[in-house]
Amino acid sequence: MKKFILVLSCLWAVSVNAQQVTELSWEDLIPETERQLLDLWERQLPTDENFSNPIASELGKVRSNLDGKDIKIAGFVIPLEGDEEQVFEMLLVPYFGACFHVPPPPANQIIHVTFKTGVKIKDLWDVVYVSGKLQTKTSINEFAEVAYSMQGLSIEEYEE
């Protein structure tokens, strides 16, 4: 009987932990007051040869209520640190080519992800799910300003 209760307790603990992970979309990272500006930003063509967009300076605020939440989000990987075998640090972005081939998205549409142990990335053009603890921590790197960071716990293939 004790073994049965122990097994049930373990299953309950795993179930509770699994329920605490919130699956988010990229839109969920944007404060409600900023969503209309983002729609305008996405429709507006770049205004000069540097592909800058005047609306971009008004975007990038975070949702502070997401700080410290365990989340799962789908996106594309831009590796920052690692090798052909594994990645330890990366940017997660909502669309392929962000930060490389087009102007970077607003800061609240980029997540800086680090993994204590490296993770394998199959193909950079594939969508992946990344899970971990989200933080509202702004940083700047050579590609873009980033409004969120995450200590990555897992990465998996995206399934529709």
Side-chain angles (χ1 to χ4, degrees), residues 48-79:
D48 64 25
E49 65 279 354
N50 294 322
F51 298 105
S52 65
N53 187 317
I55 296 173
S57 63
E58 300 176 40
L59 300 174
K61 295 174 181 62
V62 297
R63 287 189 45 205
S64 57
N65 64 322
L66 295 176
D67 193 44
K69 297 275 187 194
D70 291 323
I71 70 152
K72 177 179 180 178
I73 189 166
F76 292 90
V77 172
I78 299 174

Side-chain angles (χ1 to χ4, degrees), residues 26-44:
W26 287 95
E27 187 176 277
D28 293 331
L29 299 176
I30 305 168
E32 187 65 41
T33 56
E34 197 173 292
R35 289 183 186 172
Q36 289 178 342
L37 280 177
L38 183 64
D39 290 339
L40 182 59
W41 178 81
E42 289 175 341
R43 286 183 302 212
Q44 188 178 39

Side-chain angles (χ1 to χ4, degrees), residues 6-7 18 30 51 80 83 106 114 125 129 142 147:
L6 179 61
V7 169
I30 305 168
F51 298 105
L80 297 177
D83 55 30
T114 55
W125 50 83
Y129 277 118
E142 63 186 278

